[in-house]
């Protein structure tokens, strides 16, 4: 794809007059004869009749973003509880339950609205314009103002904005966004052009026939008009966990509510106790914490050069082990460069080559590249011409310089060298170039101007011009980082597979398996395709449907796949992949369905972003440890207090203080912090290894403290709730210190334990202020704490931490004692078996 055809500014102004009312170019006016295009009145009438080039698909609106973030199963469940509390007049308790829910919705919604706004700005910046001919004058309009029947002017850098046919002139089109092939095609009078392609050479007029929903690009993607959200493994795990917790807690809460009413405690008091149960067990703030962690991860990824549309895509990058992408625009920069010119021995016609390329530079990107490399305007005039055709794969010029007149041909080696012996030096040179992923064109001379309708013959080869797709300088480092991250590349291109494989060799990438062509893959069964895709790195001549099949086969083999695309031909694969990534310069539809958009078309930015995204999973693990520990001790408290006939040990507002000091505030620091190196065990196992012992130890200590306070000492339930709440905060802060500051800490980074210690001190100081201040203490329904009370808190806290240590490190031995597992000498042996 020609880079000049992709810029937003170039798309509006290249190849046509920009000012309103400019007369049509004389040469094109002659081609039109008396045709002057539609009148402005007729264009307005057709627009009113629905014949304008408007995309009828529904775009994502702000209210859609708000709705899908607010109306979740989790939020609706808690909203019902909040409303119930407000109905019975418990405004303060309802407020504390609702704050975390509202914060979760706000953070997630704002993050997605910001991404959506940035995407709309990007789409507006890169929206194509069109030069329309109306009443014999040209006028610059937006693509959606074009109507069916309009005459449109094409020039270098302009996008075809509607399907139609050329009615004058000829041009060379880049259709890579539609087909995936980086080579250009020549279109002449009467030939069809399709929306989504770009003009890279020539000037022509075409009549718009298929507009809006009837355009080819829209028909190709009519099932893919909005952002696709794929659930990540972590999201699925959390959703299942929440559903289990909500279901189990809902059943328990119903039973408790019935029990409380049977005990004549009153409807309001029963509802408060039930709500305290539900909001304690369910990790309300965990979703908010994960949302904040993901938002920070999205910010880290955006610093690498991307717009994150779907925050789940950031977390999903942690699981990616395969990235599928096209060659063009990803590892190449859409620019050609001349590597060398190999002349036949004894021949040097550089001046004539310069003259030829200067005269034909508008015919194709290849000739333009040669002209720029030689940097010679030439002093020859054109006496005859056979323009380039993708069918014959050559062009010819009859040039006159001074008294000398000669005919030259420039074309593909397979065509120009077709009649040469296998040992011809230019054939050998071309073979060596192809092995290194380089292209080649042959400059030859012939006695007379060839017939464009017949194969050229009797050509005398003069030189091979070796060209290279310019590789992005950052790509080699990106592939090295992929190896470090254990991510496998899969190159799925519309180009010839051997060309792509050779380019990978230049980057030092060892492609597994032989490069495979789409023609070979089309007839394979799903099982055969999956096996082939697993063992192969490079795929060429691949159709859009086959791209999607390849991605599906990778997913079926338990790979987590990211797909990078820029064209309409990539949309199906983007929707199929676990993570869709689009180039900012690509088709608008690809940006619409992708979770991540690369601002500068930088493949390396994606790999850097993948590395940054590892912070999301690490910090999510830290949060999960703290929140699931809370769920464990809450379940134990519910069961034990009911079995022992005790009151539930804290109210919702007290639970709000506990959650804020042990979970809410620390979650912010977890989100912005850098996690330690990932543990060797899996995510779930690492989380449960901490949460189960920690929650169990704290739950048992809190139960014993409440039993001693109410049962043995005969103190009030309010005093017991105060002591239990303080104990949970003290132990919870200790857990924060362990997870955030001490876990896998080392002497090389001493600041982490120090800063976490300062945070822990601040949290405990806040607790002391709440307990000692009369107004705050009364608001949160705490009671003054006596000396014996503080002693009880200290003993219970120490017991909880000691229990957590013993369970974490000696759980197997404890389990052996509980199950009376026999020792080595105590096992049945010999005939006793």
């Amino acid at each position: 794809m020609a880079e000049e055809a992709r810029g937003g500014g170039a798309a509006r102004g290249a190849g046509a007059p920009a000012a309103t009312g400019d007369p049509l170019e004389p040469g094109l006016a002659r081609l039109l004869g008396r045709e002057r295009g539609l009148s402005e009145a007729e264009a307005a009438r057709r627009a009113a009749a629905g014949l304008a080039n408007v995309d009828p698909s529904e775009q994502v609106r702000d209210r859609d973003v708000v709705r899908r973030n607010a109306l979740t199963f989790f939020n609706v469940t808690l909203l019902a509880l909040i409303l119930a509390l407000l109905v019975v007049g418990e405004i303060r308790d309802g407020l504390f339950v609702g704050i975390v829910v509202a914060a979760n919705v706000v953070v997630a919604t704002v993050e997605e609205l910001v991404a959506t706004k940035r995407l709309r700005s990007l789409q507006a910046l890169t929206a194509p314009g069109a030069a329309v001919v109306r009443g014999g004058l040209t006028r610059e309009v937006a693509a959606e103002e074009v109507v069916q029947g309009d005459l449109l002017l094409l020039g270098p850098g302009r996008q075809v904005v509607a399907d139609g046919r050329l009615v004058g002139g000829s041009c060379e089109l880049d259709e890579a966004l539609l087909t995936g092939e980086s080579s250009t095609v020549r279109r002449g009078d009467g030939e069809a052009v399709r929306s989504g392609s770009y003009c890279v050479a020539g000037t022509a007029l075409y009549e718009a026939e298929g507009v809006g929903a009837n355009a080819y690009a829209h028909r190709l993607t009519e099932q893919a008009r909005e952002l696709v959200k794929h659930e990540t493994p972590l999201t699925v795990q959390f959703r299942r966990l929440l559903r289990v917790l909500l279901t189990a807690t809902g059943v328990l809460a119903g039973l408790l509510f019935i029990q409380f009413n049977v005990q004549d405690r009153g409807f309001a008091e029963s509802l408060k106790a039930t709500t305290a149960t539900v909001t304690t067990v369910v990790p309300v703030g965990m979703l908010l914490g994960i949302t904040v962690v993901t938002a920070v991860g999205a910010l880290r990824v955006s610093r690498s050069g991307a717009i994150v549309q779907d925050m789940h895509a950031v977390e999903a990058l942690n699981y990616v082990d395969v990235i599928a992408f096209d060659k063009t625009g990803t590892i190449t920069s859409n620019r050609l460069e001349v590597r060398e010119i190999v002349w036949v021995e004894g021949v040097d016609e550089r001046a004539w080559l310069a003259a030829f390329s200067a005269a034909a530079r508008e015919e194709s990107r290849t000739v333009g590249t040669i002209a720029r490399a030689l940097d010679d305007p030439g002093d020859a005039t054109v006496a005859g011409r056979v323009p380039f055709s993708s069918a014959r794969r050559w062009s010819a010029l009859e040039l006159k310089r001074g008294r000398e007149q000669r005919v030259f041909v420039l074309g593909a080696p397979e065509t120009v060298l077709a009649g040469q012996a296998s040992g011809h030096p230019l054939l050998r040179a071309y073979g060596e170039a192809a092995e290194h992923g380089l292209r080649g064109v042959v400059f030859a001379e012939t006695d007379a101007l060839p017939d464009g309708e017949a194969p050229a013959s009797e050509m005398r080869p003069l030189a091979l011009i070796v060209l290279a797709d310019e590789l992005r300088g950052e790509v080699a480092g990106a592939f090295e980082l992929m190896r470090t991250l254990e991510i496998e590349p899969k190159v799925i291109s519309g180009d010839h597979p051997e060309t792509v494989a050779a380019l990978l060799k230049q980057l030092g990438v060892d492609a597994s398996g032989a490069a495979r062509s789409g023609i070979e893959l089309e007839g394979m069964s799903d099982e055969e395709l999956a096996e082939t895709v697993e063992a192969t790195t490079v795929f060429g001549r691949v159709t859009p449907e086959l791209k999607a099949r390849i991605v599906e086969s990778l997913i079926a083999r338990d790979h987590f796949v990211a797909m990078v695309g820029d064209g309409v031909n990539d949309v199906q694969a983007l929707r199929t992949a676990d993570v869709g990534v689009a180039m900012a310069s690509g088709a608008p539809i690809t940006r619409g369905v992708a979770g991540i958009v690369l601002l500068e078309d930088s493949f390396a930015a994606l790999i850097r972003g993948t590395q940054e995204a590892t912070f999301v999973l690490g910090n999510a693990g830290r949060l999960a440890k703290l929140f699931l520990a809370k769920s464990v001790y809450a379940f134990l408290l519910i069961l034990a207090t009911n079995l022992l006939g005790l009151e539930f040990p804290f109210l919702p507002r007290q639970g709000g203080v506990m959650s804020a000091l042990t979970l809410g505030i620390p979650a912010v620091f977890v989100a912005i912090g850098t996690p330690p190196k990932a543990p060797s065990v899996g995510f779930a196992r690492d989380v449960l290894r901490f949460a189960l012992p920690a929650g169990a130890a704290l739950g048992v200590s809190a139960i014993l403290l409440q039993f001693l306070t109410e049962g043995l000492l005969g103190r009030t339930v309010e005093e017991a709730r105060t002591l239990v709440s303080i104990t949970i905060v003290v132990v919870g802060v200790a857990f924060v210190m362990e997870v955030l500051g001490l876990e896998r800490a080392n002497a090389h980074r001493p600041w982490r334990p120090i800063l976490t210690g300062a945070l822990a001190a601040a949290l405990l100081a806040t607790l002391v202020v709440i307990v000692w201040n009369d107004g705050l203490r009364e608001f949160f329904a705490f009671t003054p704490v006596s000396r014996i009370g503080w002693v009880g808190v200290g003993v219970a806290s120490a017991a909880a931490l000691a229990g957590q240590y013993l369970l974490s490190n000696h759980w197997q031995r404890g389990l052996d004692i509980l199950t009376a597992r026999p020792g080595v000498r105590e096992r049945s042996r010999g005939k006793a078996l």
Side-chain angles (χ1 to χ4, degrees):
M1 284 161 269
E3 185 168 282
E4 61 268 26
R6 296 299 189 81
R12 288 191 174 275
T20 301
D22 288 336
L24 192 62
E25 198 175 287
L28 291 172
R30 285 195 299 273
L31 290 172
L32 282 173
R34 295 183 179 181
E35 293 290 337
R36 297 170 57 82
L38 300 177
S39 66
E40 292 291 350
E42 175 62 16
R45 187 188 69 77
R46 296 191 181 194
L51 299 177
N53 194 36
V54 177
D55 184 354
S57 59
E58 184 178 355
Q59 303 298 318
V60 177
R61 298 163 295 182
D62 289 347
R63 63 173 176 266
D64 298 327
V65 174
V66 174
R67 183 176 62 251
R68 67 174 170 230
N69 280 288
L71 300 181
T72 65
F73 172 79
F74 180 74
N75 290 341
V76 170
T77 301
L78 288 180
L79 179 63
L81 293 172
I82 295 168
L83 292 176
L85 283 174
L86 296 178
V87 167
V88 298
E90 296 297 332
I91 298 176
R92 286 184 295 182
D93 290 332
L95 175 65
F96 276 95
V97 176
I99 285 176
V100 174
V101 178
N104 183 44
V105 173
V106 168
V107 172
T109 302
V110 169
E111 181 66 25
E112 188 169 346
L113 285 174
V114 169
T116 303
K117 182 179 179 181
R118 292 179 68 190
L119 183 68
R120 288 172 186 160
S121 300
L122 177 64
Q123 291 173 333
L125 180 65
T126 59
V132 65
V133 180
R134 290 179 182 166
L137 300 175
T138 59
R139 186 161 74 87
E140 186 76 15
V141 299
E144 60 266 22
E145 295 179 45
V146 173
V147 299
Q148 191 177 66
D150 260 329
L151 291 176
L152 299 158
L153 178 62
L154 270 182
R158 281 207 172 272
Q159 183 179 352
V160 179
V161 298
D163 294 352
R165 292 187 178 276
L166 295 187
V167 296
S170 62
C171 59
E172 188 173 353
L173 296 179
D174 176 353
E175 295 185 340
L177 291 181
L178 301 175
T179 66
E181 296 192 37
S182 58
S183 57
T184 57
V185 295
R186 190 80 178 178
R187 296 285 185 244
D189 194 10
E191 291 189 283
V193 294
R194 296 185 296 185
S195 58
S197 55
Y198 286 83
C199 178
V200 297
T203 307
L205 281 157
Y206 70 102
E207 181 178 351
E209 296 174 351
V211 297
N214 295 319
Y216 172 79
H218 187 282
R219 294 198 306 272
L220 186 64
T221 59
E222 61 185 354
Q223 301 300 321
R225 308 303 295 177
E226 62 180 26
L227 176 68
V228 180
K229 287 195 171 187
H230 291 284
E231 289 190 323
T232 63
L234 183 60
T235 304
V236 171
Q237 290 177 29
F238 279 147
R239 190 190 71 241
R240 289 175 178 171
L241 174 64
L242 288 175
R243 285 185 181 274
V244 170
L245 286 173
L246 283 173
T247 302
T249 308
V251 172
L252 183 60
L255 295 174
L256 291 176
F257 185 74
I258 294 172
Q259 178 186 345
F260 292 152
N261 277 279
V262 168
Q263 295 173 352
D264 264 345
R265 299 178 56 173
F267 181 80
E269 184 65 25
S270 299
L271 186 60
K272 281 196 297 180
T274 303
T275 305
T277 301
V278 174
T279 56
T280 300
V281 173
V282 178
V284 181
M286 186 168 68
L287 289 183
L288 173 60
I290 298 297
T291 301
V292 173
V293 165
T294 310
V296 173
L299 178 61
R300 290 179 183 270
V301 173
S302 68
R303 288 172 180 168
S304 299
I307 294 176
V308 177
Q309 295 195 83
D310 179 10
M311 285 199 297
H312 293 294
V314 178
E315 183 237 314
L317 288 176
N318 287 277
Y319 305 98
V320 169
D321 61 345
V322 173
I323 296 182
F325 54 90
D326 194 355
K327 167 189 72 72
T328 307
T330 304
I331 62 178
T332 63
S333 59
N334 298 316
R335 288 192 296 269
L336 292 174
E337 61 176 349
V338 174
R339 282 290 178 88
E340 64 174 326
I341 301 176
V342 181
W343 294 97
V344 172
E345 188 175 357
V347 174
D348 190 346
E349 300 286 4
R350 184 176 295 270
W352 285 103
L353 177 58
F356 185 103
S357 60
R361 68 188 308 154
E362 294 301 322
E363 279 204 349
S364 70
R365 230 181 348 161
T366 300
V367 181
T369 300
I370 297 171
R372 288 192 298 272
L374 296 176
D375 195 23
D376 186 343
D379 55 355
T381 58
V382 179
R385 178 192 299 266
V386 179
F388 176 82
S389 164
S390 56
R392 55 178 170 259
R393 302 183 70 189
W394 56 264
S395 63
L397 291 179
E398 185 174 355
L399 299 175
K400 185 176 181 181
R401 191 173 64 177
R403 296 182 179 180
E404 194 174 6
Q405 189 163 327
R406 300 169 68 176
V407 178
F408 297 96
V409 173
L410 186 73
E414 293 86 353
T415 302
V416 180
L417 299 176
Q420 304 300 321
S422 58
H424 194 283
L426 295 189
L427 275 174
R428 291 200 305 270
Y430 177 58
E432 293 174 1
E435 289 179 359
H436 293 86
L438 303 175
R439 300 185 186 183
V441 291
V442 175
F443 184 55
E445 185 176 9
T446 187
D447 293 330
L449 195 66
D451 182 357
E453 301 302 321
S457 59
E458 297 182 3
M459 286 187 279
R460 297 182 296 278
L462 303 176
L464 172 73
I465 299 95
V466 179
L467 302 109
D469 282 310
E470 185 179 294
L471 296 173
R472 290 180 177 270
E474 60 187 10
V475 173
F479 277 101
E480 184 62 35
L481 184 55
M482 285 178 68
R483 281 191 288 270
T484 302
L485 297 174
E486 298 180 347
I487 298 174
E488 183 182 358
K490 298 287 183 182
V491 188
I492 309 174
S493 176
D495 287 336
H496 194 283
E498 295 299 336
T499 301
V500 181
L503 283 173
L504 289 182
K505 284 184 180 179
Q506 294 182 44
L507 294 168
V509 178
D510 294 326
S512 58
R516 307 300 289 262
S517 171
I519 299 174
E520 302 175 63
L521 304 176
E522 289 286 359
M524 292 184 178
S525 66
D526 291 341
E527 294 75 13
E528 291 174 328
L529 180 64
E531 291 179 6
T532 302
V533 169
E534 182 76 26
T536 307
T537 299
V538 176
F539 307 89
R541 302 298 189 213
V542 176
T543 63
E545 294 78 11
L546 185 55
K547 277 188 181 182
R549 276 192 71 198
I550 290 173
V551 173
E552 285 177 348
S553 68
L554 287 167
I555 293 173
R557 302 279 291 199
D558 295 329
H559 290 291
F560 205 87
V561 184
M563 175 69 199
V564 185
D566 61 353
V568 174
N569 62 303
D570 295 317
V571 169
Q572 289 176 278
L574 285 171
R575 289 177 62 85
T576 304
D578 297 295
V579 184
V581 183
M583 299 293 191
S585 66
I589 182 60
T590 61
R591 300 194 297 264
V593 302
I596 298 174
V597 178
L598 303 179
L599 284 176
E600 297 180 0
D601 293 357
S602 173
F603 179 69
L606 171 64
I607 309 305
R608 291 194 301 269
T610 302
Q611 186 179 35
E612 292 288 344
T614 57
F615 292 116
V616 175
L617 199 60
N619 284 334
R622 288 167 148 185
L623 288 177
K625 290 177 181 180
L626 297 176
F627 278 97
L628 291 182
K630 174 195 172 185
S631 296
V632 171
Y633 75 67
F635 261 121
L636 290 176
L637 289 176
I638 293 169
L639 294 173
T641 51
N642 280 274
L643 287 174
L644 297 173
L646 301 173
E647 296 283 350
F648 193 72
F650 50 84
L651 300 174
R653 76 193 77 167
Q654 296 168 339
V657 173
M658 293 155 49
S659 294
L661 295 180
T662 63
L663 299 171
I665 296 174
V668 175
F669 291 90
V670 170
I672 63 177
T674 301
K677 185 178 180 181
S680 56
V681 297
F683 177 87
R685 186 177 178 184
D686 181 55
V687 169
L688 294 177
R689 179 181 286 180
F690 174 87
L692 292 178
L698 178 53
V700 171
S701 295
I703 292 166
L704 292 176
L705 178 62
Q706 183 180 12
F707 178 72
L708 289 172
T709 304
E710 283 190 65
L712 297 183
L713 299 180
R715 302 297 176 88
T716 63
V717 64
E718 289 78 14
E719 290 181 86
R721 283 173 173 169
T722 299
L723 297 182
V724 169
S725 298
I726 294 174
T727 300
I728 290 176
V729 171
V730 171
V731 178
V733 169
F735 289 163
V736 170
M737 182 69 194
E738 179 180 349
V739 171
L740 186 58
L742 301 180
E743 196 172 70
R744 292 185 289 278
N746 55 68
H748 299 291
R749 306 182 73 178
W751 53 268
R752 187 157 62 91
I754 294 173
L755 292 179
T756 307
L759 171 64
L763 294 173
L764 293 177
T766 303
L767 173 66
V768 171
V769 170
I770 291 173
V771 173
W772 282 94
N773 183 274
D774 293 339
L776 291 175
R777 185 174 62 242
E778 181 180 351
F779 179 83
F780 289 107
F782 288 139
T783 62
V785 182
S786 63
R787 290 184 179 179
I788 190 66
W790 285 113
V791 171
V793 167
V795 172
S797 299
L801 294 175
Q804 185 250 341
Y805 174 81
L806 292 174
L807 288 174
S808 296
N809 294 278
H810 304 287
W811 63 273
Q812 185 62 60
R813 185 175 178 183
L815 188 62
D816 291 345
I817 294 173
L818 290 175
T819 58
R821 181 180 179 181
V824 175
R825 292 282 181 179
E826 297 172 333
R827 286 188 313 218
S828 297
R829 291 174 288 151
K831 291 184 178 181
L833 290 174

